Amino acid sequence: GIRDTRPGPLQEIEASEWEQRLEGALIALPEEDRAILLLSRFEGLRYAEIAAILDTSEGAVKVRGHRALQALRRALLQ
């Protein structure tokens, strides 16, 4: 038969809670670190493009992006 693949109520609640935790963890990051993560991970920009936007070096963007991702992971694993 045909299987219903729509999320059930429990999955919808869990997804909503996950989104709230992610949003809270992102908001807790310093503004520029949050911008780097959003631009690199969610918008798909390259580090060089982000460096130009933020008027900083590509190396600084890489370091801050890496640290921000680590902080986000720590916050979500609590």
Side-chain angles (χ1 to χ4, degrees):
I2 297 175
R3 196 166 160 231
D4 186 359
T5 58
R6 291 177 297 180
L10 182 57
Q11 287 83 13
E12 288 180 12
I13 291 169
E14 289 172 346
S16 176
E17 288 174 355
W18 175 253
E19 288 172 8
Q20 289 174 355
R21 288 185 64 203
L22 177 59
E23 185 177 330
L26 281 169
I27 289 170
L29 292 173
E31 185 177 349
E32 194 165 291
D33 292 355
R34 181 172 58 248
I36 290 169
L37 271 186
L38 293 174
L39 292 171
S40 66
R41 301 294 173 166
F42 298 101
E43 297 295 328
L45 270 64
R46 296 186 314 267
Y47 289 130
E49 294 172 307
I50 297 168
I53 291 169
L54 299 178
D55 194 29
T56 189
S57 72
E58 186 175 345
V61 170
K62 287 179 183 180
V63 168
R64 291 190 73 169
H66 179 72
R67 288 180 184 161
L69 191 56
Q70 287 180 323
L72 187 64
R73 284 184 181 136
R74 281 192 304 272
L76 291 173
L77 293 175
Q78 290 181 359

Coordinates of all heavy atoms in Angstrom, one line a residue:
G1 N 0.8 -1.2 0.0 CA 0.0 0.0 0.0 C 0.9 1.3 0.0 O 2.1 1.2 0.1
I2 N 0.2 2.3 -0.1 CA 0.8 3.7 0.0 C 1.1 4.0 1.4 O 0.2 4.0 2.3 CB 0.0 4.7 -0.7 CG1 -0.2 4.4 -2.2 CG2 0.6 6.1 -0.6 CD1 -1.1 5.3 -2.9
R3 N 2.4 4.4 1.7 CA 2.8 4.8 3.0 C 2.7 6.3 3.2 O 3.2 7.1 2.3 CB 4.2 4.3 3.2 CG 4.6 4.3 4.7 CD 5.8 3.5 4.9 NE 6.4 4.0 6.2 CZ 7.6 4.4 6.4 NH1 8.5 4.3 5.4 NH2 7.9 4.8 7.5
D4 N 2.1 6.8 4.3 CA 2.1 8.2 4.6 C 3.4 8.7 5.1 O 3.9 8.2 6.2 CB 1.0 8.5 5.6 CG 0.7 9.9 5.9 OD1 1.4 10.8 5.3 OD2 -0.2 10.2 6.7
T5 N 4.1 9.5 4.4 CA 5.4 10.0 4.8 C 5.4 11.4 5.4 O 6.4 11.9 5.7 CB 6.4 10.0 3.6 OG1 5.8 10.9 2.6 CG2 6.6 8.6 3.0
R6 N 4.2 11.9 5.6 CA 4.1 13.2 6.3 C 4.5 13.1 7.8 O 4.2 12.0 8.4 CB 2.7 13.7 6.2 CG 2.2 14.1 4.8 CD 0.8 14.5 4.9 NE 0.0 13.4 5.3 CZ -1.3 13.4 5.4 NH1 -2.0 14.5 5.2 NH2 -2.0 12.3 5.7
P7 N 5.1 14.1 8.3 CA 5.5 14.0 9.7 C 4.3 14.0 10.6 O 3.3 14.7 10.3 CB 6.3 15.3 10.0 CG 6.0 16.2 8.9 CD 5.5 15.3 7.7
G8 N 4.4 13.2 11.7 CA 3.3 13.1 12.6 C 3.4 14.3 13.7 O 4.4 15.0 13.6
P9 N 2.4 14.4 14.6 CA 2.5 15.4 15.6 C 3.7 15.5 16.4 O 4.3 16.5 16.7 CB 1.2 15.1 16.4 CG 0.4 14.3 15.6 CD 1.3 13.5 14.7
L10 N 4.2 14.3 16.8 CA 5.4 14.2 17.6 C 6.6 14.8 16.8 O 7.4 15.5 17.4 CB 5.7 12.8 18.1 CG 6.9 12.6 19.0 CD1 6.8 13.5 20.2 CD2 7.1 11.2 19.4
Q11 N 6.8 14.4 15.6 CA 7.9 14.8 14.7 C 7.8 16.3 14.5 O 8.8 17.0 14.5 CB 7.9 14.1 13.4 CG 8.4 12.7 13.5 CD 7.2 11.7 13.9 OE1 6.1 12.1 13.9 NE2 7.6 10.5 14.3
E12 N 6.6 16.9 14.4 CA 6.4 18.3 14.2 C 6.8 19.1 15.5 O 7.5 20.1 15.4 CB 5.0 18.6 13.8 CG 4.6 18.2 12.4 CD 3.2 18.5 12.1 OE1 2.5 19.3 12.8 OE2 2.7 18.0 11.0
I13 N 6.5 18.5 16.6 CA 6.9 19.2 17.9 C 8.4 19.1 18.0 O 9.0 20.1 18.4 CB 6.2 18.5 19.1 CG1 4.7 18.8 19.1 CG2 6.8 18.9 20.4 CD1 3.9 18.0 20.1
E14 N 9.0 18.0 17.8 CA 10.5 17.8 17.9 C 11.2 18.8 16.9 O 12.2 19.4 17.3 CB 10.9 16.4 17.6 CG 10.5 15.5 18.7 CD 10.8 14.0 18.4 OE1 11.0 13.7 17.2 OE2 10.7 13.2 19.3
A15 N 10.7 18.9 15.7 CA 11.3 19.8 14.7 C 11.1 21.3 15.2 O 12.1 22.1 15.1 CB 10.6 19.7 13.3
S16 N 10.0 21.6 15.7 CA 9.8 23.0 16.3 C 10.7 23.3 17.4 O 11.3 24.3 17.5 CB 8.3 23.1 16.7 OG 8.2 24.4 17.3
E17 N 10.9 22.3 18.3 CA 11.8 22.5 19.4 C 13.3 22.6 18.9 O 14.0 23.5 19.5 CB 11.7 21.3 20.4 CG 10.4 21.3 21.2 CD 10.2 20.1 22.1 OE1 11.1 19.2 22.0 OE2 9.2 20.1 22.8
W18 N 13.6 21.8 17.9 CA 15.0 21.9 17.4 C 15.2 23.3 16.7 O 16.3 23.9 16.9 CB 15.2 20.8 16.3 CG 16.5 20.9 15.6 CD1 16.7 21.3 14.4 CD2 17.8 20.6 16.2 NE1 18.0 21.3 14.1 CE2 18.7 20.9 15.1 CE3 18.2 20.2 17.4 CZ2 20.1 20.7 15.3 CZ3 19.6 20.0 17.6 CH2 20.5 20.3 16.6
E19 N 14.2 23.8 16.0 CA 14.4 25.1 15.4 C 14.5 26.2 16.4 O 15.3 27.1 16.3 CB 13.1 25.4 14.5 CG 13.1 24.6 13.2 CD 11.8 24.7 12.4 OE1 11.0 25.6 12.8 OE2 11.6 24.0 11.5
Q20 N 13.8 26.1 17.5 CA 13.9 27.1 18.6 C 15.3 27.0 19.2 O 15.8 28.1 19.5 CB 12.8 26.8 19.6 CG 11.4 27.2 19.2 CD 10.3 26.8 20.2 OE1 10.6 26.2 21.2 NE2 9.1 27.2 19.9
R21 N 15.8 25.8 19.5 CA 17.1 25.7 20.0 C 18.2 26.2 19.1 O 19.1 26.9 19.5 CB 17.4 24.2 20.4 CG 16.6 23.7 21.5 CD 17.0 22.3 21.9 NE 18.4 22.3 22.3 CZ 19.2 21.2 22.3 NH1 18.7 20.1 21.9 NH2 20.4 21.3 22.8
L22 N 18.0 25.9 17.8 CA 19.0 26.5 16.8 C 19.0 28.0 16.8 O 20.0 28.6 16.8 CB 18.7 25.9 15.5 CG 19.6 26.4 14.3 CD1 21.1 26.1 14.6 CD2 19.1 25.7 13.0
E23 N 17.8 28.5 16.8 CA 17.6 30.0 16.7 C 18.2 30.6 18.0 O 18.9 31.6 17.9 CB 16.1 30.4 16.6 CG 15.9 31.8 16.5 CD 14.4 32.2 16.3 OE1 13.7 31.4 15.7 OE2 14.1 33.3 16.7
G24 N 18.0 30.0 19.1 CA 18.5 30.6 20.4 C 20.0 30.5 20.4 O 20.7 31.4 20.8
A25 N 20.6 29.4 19.9 CA 22.0 29.2 19.9 C 22.7 30.2 18.9 O 23.7 30.8 19.2 CB 22.4 27.8 19.5
L26 N 22.0 30.5 17.8 CA 22.5 31.4 16.8 C 22.5 32.9 17.4 O 23.4 33.6 17.2 CB 21.7 31.4 15.5 CG 22.1 30.2 14.5 CD1 21.0 30.1 13.4 CD2 23.4 30.4 14.0
I27 N 21.4 33.2 18.0 CA 21.2 34.5 18.6 C 22.3 34.8 19.7 O 22.7 35.9 19.9 CB 19.8 34.7 19.2 CG1 18.8 34.8 18.0 CG2 19.7 35.9 20.1 CD1 17.4 34.8 18.4
A28 N 22.7 33.7 20.4 CA 23.7 33.9 21.5 C 25.1 34.1 20.9 O 25.9 34.6 21.7 CB 23.7 32.6 22.3
L29 N 25.3 33.9 19.7 CA 26.6 34.1 19.1 C 26.8 35.6 18.9 O 25.9 36.4 18.7 CB 26.8 33.5 17.7 CG 26.8 31.9 17.7 CD1 26.7 31.5 16.2 CD2 28.0 31.4 18.4
P30 N 28.1 36.1 18.9 CA 28.4 37.5 18.6 C 27.8 37.8 17.1 O 27.9 36.9 16.3 CB 29.9 37.6 18.6 CG 30.3 36.5 19.5 CD 29.3 35.4 19.3
E31 N 27.4 39.0 16.9 CA 26.7 39.3 15.6 C 27.5 38.9 14.4 O 27.0 38.3 13.4 CB 26.4 40.8 15.6 CG 25.5 41.2 14.4 CD 25.1 42.6 14.4 OE1 25.3 43.3 15.5 OE2 24.6 43.1 13.4
E32 N 28.8 39.3 14.4 CA 29.6 39.0 13.2 C 29.9 37.5 13.0 O 29.8 37.0 11.9 CB 31.0 39.7 13.3 CG 31.7 39.8 12.0 CD 32.8 40.8 11.9 OE1 32.5 42.0 11.9 OE2 34.0 40.4 11.9
D33 N 30.0 36.8 14.1 CA 30.2 35.3 14.0 C 28.9 34.7 13.5 O 29.0 33.8 12.6 CB 30.5 34.7 15.4 CG 31.9 35.1 15.9 OD1 32.6 35.8 15.2 OD2 32.2 34.7 17.0
R34 N 27.8 35.2 13.9 CA 26.5 34.7 13.4 C 26.3 35.0 11.9 O 25.9 34.1 11.2 CB 25.3 35.3 14.2 CG 24.0 34.9 13.8 CD 22.8 35.4 14.7 NE 22.8 36.8 14.8 CZ 23.1 37.5 15.9 NH1 23.4 36.9 17.0 NH2 23.0 38.8 15.9
A35 N 26.8 36.2 11.5 CA 26.7 36.5 10.1 C 27.6 35.6 9.3 O 27.2 35.1 8.2 CB 27.1 38.0 9.9
I36 N 28.8 35.3 9.8 CA 29.7 34.4 9.0 C 29.0 33.0 8.9 O 29.1 32.5 7.8 CB 31.0 34.3 9.7 CG1 31.8 35.6 9.6 CG2 31.9 33.1 9.2 CD1 33.0 35.7 10.5
L37 N 28.5 32.5 9.9 CA 27.8 31.2 9.8 C 26.7 31.2 8.9 O 26.5 30.3 8.0 CB 27.3 30.7 11.2 CG 28.3 29.9 12.1 CD1 27.6 29.5 13.3 CD2 28.9 28.8 11.3
L38 N 25.8 32.2 9.0 CA 24.6 32.3 8.1 C 25.0 32.4 6.7 O 24.5 31.7 5.8 CB 23.7 33.4 8.6 CG 23.0 33.2 9.9 CD1 22.3 34.5 10.3 CD2 22.1 32.0 9.9
L39 N 26.0 33.2 6.4 CA 26.5 33.5 5.0 C 27.2 32.2 4.4 O 27.0 31.9 3.3 CB 27.4 34.7 4.9 CG 26.7 36.0 5.2 CD1 27.7 37.1 5.3 CD2 25.7 36.4 4.1
S40 N 28.0 31.6 5.3 CA 28.7 30.4 4.7 C 27.9 29.1 4.7 O 27.9 28.5 3.7 CB 30.0 30.2 5.5 OG 29.7 29.8 6.9
R41 N 27.2 28.8 5.8 CA 26.5 27.6 5.8 C 25.1 27.6 5.2 O 24.7 26.6 4.7 CB 26.4 27.1 7.3 CG 27.7 27.0 8.0 CD 28.5 25.8 7.4 NE 29.9 25.8 8.0 CZ 30.7 24.8 7.8 NH1 30.3 23.7 7.2 NH2 31.9 24.9 8.3
F42 N 24.4 28.7 5.3 CA 23.0 28.8 4.9 C 22.9 29.5 3.6 O 21.9 29.2 2.8 CB 22.1 29.4 6.0 CG 22.1 28.6 7.2 CD1 22.9 29.0 8.3 CD2 21.4 27.4 7.4 CE1 22.9 28.2 9.5 CE2 21.4 26.7 8.5 CZ 22.2 27.1 9.6
E43 N 23.8 30.4 3.3 CA 23.7 31.1 2.0 C 24.7 30.6 1.0 O 24.6 31.0 -0.2 CB 23.9 32.6 2.2 CG 22.8 33.3 3.1 CD 21.4 33.3 2.5 OE1 21.3 33.4 1.2 OE2 20.5 33.2 3.2
G44 N 25.6 29.8 1.4 CA 26.6 29.2 0.5 C 27.7 30.1 -0.1 O 28.3 29.8 -1.1
L45 N 27.9 31.2 0.6 CA 29.0 32.1 0.2 C 30.3 31.6 0.5 O 30.5 30.9 1.5 CB 28.8 33.5 0.8 CG 28.0 34.5 0.0 CD1 26.5 34.1 -0.1 CD2 28.0 35.9 0.7
R46 N 31.3 31.9 -0.3 CA 32.7 31.5 0.0 C 33.3 32.4 1.0 O 32.9 33.6 1.1 CB 33.5 31.5 -1.3 CG 33.0 30.4 -2.3 CD 33.9 30.3 -3.6 NE 34.3 31.6 -4.1 CZ 33.6 32.2 -5.1 NH1 32.6 31.7 -5.6 NH2 34.1 33.4 -5.5
Y47 N 34.4 32.0 1.7 CA 35.0 32.8 2.7 C 35.5 34.1 2.1 O 35.4 35.1 2.8 CB 36.1 32.0 3.4 CG 35.7 30.9 4.3 CD1 36.2 29.6 4.2 CD2 34.7 31.1 5.2 CE1 35.8 28.6 5.0 CE2 34.2 30.1 6.1 CZ 34.8 28.9 6.0 OH 34.3 27.9 6.8
A48 N 36.0 34.1 0.9 CA 36.5 35.3 0.3 C 35.4 36.3 0.1 O 35.6 37.5 0.3 CB 37.2 35.0 -1.1
E49 N 34.2 35.8 -0.3 CA 33.1 36.7 -0.5 C 32.6 37.3 0.9 O 32.3 38.5 0.9 CB 31.9 35.9 -1.1 CG 32.2 35.5 -2.5 CD 31.1 34.5 -3.0 OE1 30.8 33.5 -2.4 OE2 30.5 34.8 -4.1
I50 N 32.6 36.5 1.9 CA 32.3 37.0 3.2 C 33.3 38.0 3.7 O 32.9 39.0 4.3 CB 32.1 35.8 4.2 CG1 31.0 34.9 3.7 CG2 31.8 36.3 5.6 CD1 31.0 33.5 4.4
A51 N 34.6 37.7 3.5 CA 35.6 38.7 3.9 C 35.4 40.0 3.3 O 35.6 41.1 3.9 CB 37.0 38.1 3.6
A52 N 35.0 40.0 2.0 CA 34.8 41.3 1.3 C 33.6 42.0 1.9 O 33.6 43.2 2.1 CB 34.6 41.0 -0.2
I53 N 32.5 41.3 2.2 CA 31.3 41.9 2.8 C 31.6 42.5 4.2 O 31.2 43.6 4.5 CB 30.2 40.8 2.9 CG1 29.7 40.4 1.5 CG2 29.1 41.3 3.8 CD1 28.8 39.2 1.5
L54 N 32.4 41.7 5.0 CA 32.7 42.2 6.3 C 34.0 43.0 6.4 O 34.3 43.5 7.5 CB 32.8 41.0 7.3 CG 31.6 40.1 7.4 CD1 31.9 38.9 8.3 CD2 30.4 40.9 7.9
D55 N 34.6 43.3 5.3 CA 35.8 44.1 5.2 C 36.9 43.6 6.2 O 37.4 44.3 7.1 CB 35.5 45.6 5.5 CG 36.6 46.5 5.2 OD1 37.4 46.2 4.2 OD2 36.8 47.5 5.8
T56 N 37.2 42.3 6.1 CA 38.2 41.6 6.9 C 38.9 40.6 6.0 O 38.6 40.5 4.8 CB 37.6 41.0 8.1 OG1 38.6 40.5 9.0 CG2 36.7 39.8 7.8
S57 N 39.9 39.9 6.6 CA 40.7 39.0 5.8 C 39.9 37.6 5.7 O 39.1 37.3 6.6 CB 42.0 38.7 6.4 OG 41.9 38.0 7.6
E58 N 40.3 36.9 4.6 CA 39.7 35.5 4.5 C 40.1 34.6 5.6 O 39.3 33.8 6.1 CB 40.1 35.0 3.1 CG 39.4 33.7 2.8 CD 39.8 33.1 1.4 OE1 40.3 33.9 0.6 OE2 39.5 32.0 1.2
G59 N 41.3 34.8 6.1 CA 41.8 33.9 7.2 C 41.0 34.2 8.5 O 40.6 33.3 9.2
A60 N 40.7 35.5 8.7 CA 39.9 35.8 9.9 C 38.5 35.2 9.8 O 37.9 34.7 10.8 CB 39.8 37.3 10.1
V61 N 37.9 35.3 8.6 CA 36.6 34.7 8.4 C 36.6 33.2 8.7 O 35.7 32.6 9.4 CB 36.1 35.0 7.0 CG1 34.8 34.2 6.7 CG2 35.8 36.5 6.9
K62 N 37.7 32.5 8.2 CA 37.8 31.1 8.4 C 37.9 30.7 9.9 O 37.2 29.8 10.4 CB 39.0 30.5 7.7 CG 38.9 30.4 6.2 CD 40.1 29.9 5.6 CE 40.0 29.9 4.1 NZ 41.3 29.4 3.5
V63 N 38.7 31.5 10.6 CA 38.9 31.2 12.0 C 37.6 31.5 12.8 O 37.2 30.7 13.6 CB 40.1 32.0 12.6 CG1 40.1 32.0 14.1 CG2 41.4 31.6 12.0
R64 N 37.0 32.6 12.6 CA 35.8 33.0 13.3 C 34.6 32.1 12.9 O 33.8 31.7 13.8 CB 35.4 34.4 13.0 CG 36.4 35.4 13.6 CD 35.9 36.8 13.6 NE 34.9 37.0 14.5 CZ 34.4 38.2 14.8 NH1 34.9 39.2 14.3 NH2 33.4 38.3 15.7
G65 N 34.6 31.7 11.7 CA 33.5 30.7 11.2 C 33.7 29.4 11.9 O 32.7 28.8 12.4
H66 N 34.9 28.9 12.0 CA 35.2 27.6 12.7 C 34.8 27.7 14.2 O 34.2 26.8 14.7 CB 36.7 27.2 12.5 CG 37.0 26.0 13.1 ND1 36.7 24.7 12.7 CD2 37.8 25.7 14.3 CE1 37.1 23.8 13.5 NE2 37.8 24.4 14.4
R67 N 35.3 28.8 14.8 CA 34.9 28.9 16.2 C 33.4 29.1 16.5 O 32.9 28.5 17.4 CB 35.7 30.1 16.8 CG 37.2 29.9 16.9 CD 37.8 31.1 17.5 NE 39.3 31.0 17.5 CZ 40.2 31.9 17.6 NH1 39.7 33.2 17.7 NH2 41.4 31.7 17.6
A68 N 32.8 29.8 15.6 CA 31.3 30.0 15.7 C 30.6 28.6 15.6 O 29.6 28.3 16.3 CB 30.8 31.0 14.7
L69 N 31.1 27.8 14.6 CA 30.4 26.5 14.4 C 30.6 25.6 15.6 O 29.7 24.9 16.0 CB 31.0 25.9 13.1 CG 30.3 24.7 12.6 CD1 28.8 24.9 12.4 CD2 30.9 24.2 11.3
Q70 N 31.8 25.7 16.2 CA 32.1 24.9 17.4 C 31.2 25.4 18.6 O 30.6 24.5 19.3 CB 33.6 25.0 17.8 CG 34.5 24.3 17.0 CD 35.9 24.4 17.4 OE1 36.3 25.5 17.9 NE2 36.7 23.4 17.3
A71 N 31.0 26.7 18.7 CA 30.2 27.2 19.8 C 28.7 26.8 19.6 O 28.0 26.4 20.5 CB 30.3 28.7 19.9
L72 N 28.3 26.8 18.3 CA 26.9 26.4 18.0 C 26.7 24.9 18.3 O 25.7 24.6 18.9 CB 26.7 26.7 16.5 CG 25.2 26.5 16.0 CD1 24.3 27.5 16.7 CD2 25.2 26.7 14.5
R73 N 27.7 24.1 17.9 CA 27.5 22.7 18.2 C 27.5 22.4 19.7 O 26.7 21.6 20.2 CB 28.7 21.9 17.7 CG 28.7 21.7 16.2 CD 29.8 20.8 15.7 NE 29.8 20.7 14.3 CZ 30.8 20.8 13.5 NH1 32.0 21.0 13.9 NH2 30.6 20.6 12.2
R74 N 28.4 23.1 20.5 CA 28.3 23.0 22.0 C 27.0 23.4 22.5 O 26.4 22.7 23.4 CB 29.4 23.8 22.6 CG 30.8 23.2 22.6 CD 31.8 23.9 23.5 NE 31.9 25.3 23.2 CZ 32.7 25.8 22.3 NH1 33.5 25.1 21.6 NH2 32.8 27.1 22.2
A75 N 26.4 24.5 22.1 CA 25.1 24.9 22.6 C 24.0 24.0 22.2 O 23.1 23.7 23.1 CB 24.8 26.3 22.0
L76 N 24.1 23.4 21.1 CA 23.0 22.4 20.7 C 23.1 21.1 21.3 O 22.1 20.4 21.4 CB 23.0 22.3 19.1 CG 22.5 23.5 18.4 CD1 22.7 23.3 16.9 CD2 21.1 23.9 18.7
L77 N 24.3 20.7 21.8 CA 24.5 19.4 22.4 C 24.2 19.5 23.9 O 24.3 18.4 24.6 CB 25.9 18.9 22.1 CG 26.2 18.5 20.7 CD1 27.6 18.1 20.5 CD2 25.2 17.4 20.2
Q78 N 24.0 20.6 24.5 CA 23.7 20.7 25.9 C 22.3 20.1 26.2 O 21.4 20.2 25.6 CB 23.7 22.2 26.4 CG 25.1 22.8 26.3 CD 25.1 24.2 26.8 OE1 24.0 24.8 27.1 NE2 26.2 24.8 26.8

